[in-house]
Each structure stands twice: as structure tokens, then as C-alpha cells.
Amino acid sequence: MIDLRSDTLTRPTEAMRAAMARAEVGDDVYGEDPTVRALEERVAGMFGHEAALFTPTGSLANVLAVGLLVPPGQEVLCEASAHIARAELGAHGAVSGVTMRTWIHERGGVDLDVLRRLVAPDMGPFFVRTAAISLENTHNFAGGTVLPLADLKAVRALADEAGVAVHVDGARLWNAHVATGTPLEEYGAATDSLAVCLSKGLGAPVGSLVVGSADAMAEARVRRKRLGGGMRQVGILAAAGLHALDHHVERLADDHAHARLLAEACGTDPDTVDTNIVVVEKADAAGFVARAKEAGVLVATVGPTTVRLVTHLDVSRADAERAASVLAGLEQARSRPQPG
């Protein structure tokens, strides 16, 4: 079975398992795990920020980052299908007391004119104050689309003018970096905070990081503990992240090429596929998923008429070619005239 449901399904490579087994560890709640400290310092430096904090999940990383920027009762602006709005179970409102307003963009990007009309940092005592703008790069539900650096910089300038902060949900920012060649420092320079994930395209079993100022990360550490996210000898997991940064970043280009192959097989223009996610519209998404499974390929629905395919470390070129053949066969069967 070829599993294209998500890039969270990867399993540690043997080399990664070996790195985890020999990791030096300590108690991270006391700040004494040397491998965690090495990972946090390295990731912060990659993005040109002062500090980072290791978290078990990307959702927790986003909750911590947004909660630090947006006080209870104030708002973060984001695109309507953003992960923080659609896939984190309302945590920002339920846990942090944050409200949201959204804009709609077909590819998950920004319309600066619309955003300029939404930003409202202070309209008096009857209106919710805008405290931050959150962007997603790459954008999951828009099909792994890359937010151009120029757009991020334009939002940064707008935010500075309005006196609000900028957060980037960069769970797959590594993919954007590899797809465009944009230095990670340039992404970091345009943000107040980032959340980046190690357990998607990079293939680590667990882990994300919040990135920001030293003061913000010190407060994030307190909030992480309050939410039950304090971890002990977690250097075993941090070692997987360090190994992934050493060995699994540049190979993301392979995943991007495999995704374009799958897109073409599904009748989607491969030039619209920026990274490792393919979104295909199907009148009967559940039926398509069921037929693909019968033929040995697992894909997922992300809406009643939307199917998502995601390439990753555990999908080889041969796997991608075989999956493409299966999916192309389903397309041909659907278009073939029925007797009678």
C-alpha cells in the first residue's frame, strides 16, 4: 500500500534511529537537556532569531506563538482555510481567548487591499483590536502553495505601519525554502514569530519549534508547562530533529517532483503544484478515495469534493510512478463511456 494521506506518516530512518539512541539527554523542564538546547539554538540561528522552543506538536507551537502576540479578547487575522483556523480544534479561542477574522484567497495567499481594510488595531471601545496577522507558508489546504517572499515583506510593512505583529505558521517552510531558494533568514527577518515542524517533510517522528525573541521564548516555556507540554529527557526526539536538518532538507526537492508526477496523473496542471501537496477536485471525493484504496493507494479527503495527496520521505520514485499509474487508471475509468 502506497500511503499519500499525509507527510506526517513517515517513519524514522535507520540512521535517524541510531542518532536518537546515542543522544545525550537531561531534564528539559529544568533546561538541562543538551540535545534540545542544541536543536533550539540551531533553529533560532537558521531564521536569524534570538531563541526557539521545542514543542511536541505544531498545533501547540502555533497556540504558544499566537497567544504571545495576541492578548485575550483581541484578534489575529488569517486566511480562511489556514491551519490555525480550520485544523487546530478552536484551540486559539478555547485556550488563549483569541478571536479571528479571515480573508479568502484561492491559493492561501494575501490580497493586500483586503488585508488593509481588515486591520483594525484601535477603533475605540466597541471593536475588537487586531493584534497580529498570521500567514501560512506553505499553505496546507491550498495545496502546498508557497507564499512569495515579496508578499510576506509587504505584509510586514503593512503590519509595521499599523503597529501589529506578524506570525508565520511555517510547518512546511522548509519546503518553501527548497522550492524557491529563499534563505531561511529572509523568512525570519519578516516575522515576529514562526512555528516550524520537524515531523512532516523532514521525517522526524515528533516535534515542532516556536521561534522568536528570547523574552518571548522564556514566556512560551512557562506557557508550554502550564498546558502540560513540559518534557523530560526529550533529547531523544530532538536528536531526530537535528538528524533531519542535516540530512532531509535538500531531498524535499524529490517530494516536489513526485507531487508533480501525481498531479499530472490526476489531470491537474503540474505547474500549479509548488511543493509536495496535490489537491484534486472530485465530485465524489469519498468514492475516489475508496477506489484508490482498492487499487493499493491511500489518499485522503479534505472536503466533500476535495482529495489531497502528499508525497514524503517514505514515497520513493518507484512508489510515485506506481501510484501515478493507479490514479491515471482511475481517471481513465471515470471518463470511459458506460454501456447501455
Side-chain angles (χ1 to χ4, degrees):
M1 192 70 76
I2 300 171
D3 200 335
L4 302 172
R5 291 173 297 167
S6 177
D7 48 7
T8 62
L9 296 162
T10 57
R11 291 156 296 184
T13 63
E14 288 303 315
M16 183 179 285
R17 288 176 183 270
M20 295 168 71
R22 64 174 178 265
E24 186 179 358
V25 299
D27 191 320
D28 184 51
V29 171
Y30 286 90
E32 295 176 354
D33 191 303
T35 308
V36 173
R37 290 204 305 267
L39 175 65
E40 291 172 342
E41 290 170 6
R42 179 172 177 183
V43 172
M46 293 172 80
F47 291 97
H49 278 265
E50 292 179 334
L53 181 72
F54 188 49
T55 66
T57 70
S59 292
L60 179 56
N62 276 328
V63 166
L64 292 172
V66 173
L68 288 167
L69 300 176
V70 185
Q74 296 189 28
E75 70 181 4
V76 58
L77 305 180
C78 63
E79 201 277 325
S81 59
H83 197 275
I84 67 168
R86 297 298 304 144
E88 294 176 4
L89 298 178
H92 298 271
V95 173
S96 303
V98 170
T99 69
M100 293 183 182
R101 278 190 300 145
T102 63
W103 69 88
I104 296 175
H105 191 283
E106 183 180 8
R107 288 179 62 80
V110 292
D111 182 323
L112 286 173
D113 291 334
V114 171
L115 188 53
R116 192 171 285 110
R117 291 195 294 270
L118 287 176
V119 175
D122 187 1
M123 291 179 58
F126 303 108
F127 294 91
V128 176
R129 290 188 175 192
T130 305
I133 301 166
S134 179
L135 305 171
E136 190 171 328
N137 197 17
T138 66
H139 196 294
N140 183 352
F141 295 127
T145 52
V146 173
L147 179 72
L149 181 64
D151 287 358
L152 176 57
K153 289 182 174 180
V155 171
R156 171 81 273 175
L158 172 61
D160 287 344
E161 181 182 340
V164 303
V166 175
H167 170 65
V168 167
D169 175 0
R172 296 179 176 88
L173 194 56
W174 320 104
N175 294 84
H177 161 64
V178 169
T180 65
T182 301
L184 295 174
E185 296 94 331
E186 293 201 39
Y187 286 128
T191 65
D192 294 286
S193 65
L194 301 106
V196 292
C197 188
L198 304 170
S199 62
K200 295 184 174 69
L202 297 194
V206 173
S208 290
L209 293 103
V210 191
V211 183
S213 70
D215 287 345
M217 294 306 100
E219 175 62 21
R221 181 175 292 274
V222 173
R223 295 186 181 206
R224 183 187 70 175
K225 182 71 166 68
R226 183 177 294 135
L227 294 172
M231 300 174 286
R232 302 299 180 178
Q233 289 73 30
V234 75
I236 293 171
L237 297 176
L242 287 167
H243 179 87
L245 292 174
D246 286 337
H247 300 285
H248 294 169
V249 175
E250 296 306 320
R251 64 145 304 280
L252 292 171
D254 296 338
D255 297 343
H256 302 169
H258 297 163
R260 289 190 290 272
L261 182 69
L262 294 170
E264 189 170 14
C266 292
T268 297
D269 183 356
D271 289 338
T272 66
V273 177
D274 291 348
T275 54
N276 69 320
I277 300 176
V278 182
V279 172
V280 182
E281 290 299 316
K282 296 292 176 186
D284 178 16
F288 182 85
V289 169
R291 291 192 299 275
K293 182 177 181 180
E294 290 176 0
V297 178
L298 294 176
V299 297
T301 58
V302 290
T305 62
T306 309
V307 175
R308 189 184 72 163
L309 303 81
V310 188
T311 55
H312 51 78
L313 180 65
D314 287 358
V315 176
S316 67
R317 179 70 182 188
D319 291 334
E321 289 174 349
R322 185 160 72 86
S325 177
V326 167
L327 296 171
L330 295 179
E331 287 294 314
Q332 293 166 5
R334 183 177 66 88
S335 61
R336 191 179 300 130
Q338 299 299 311

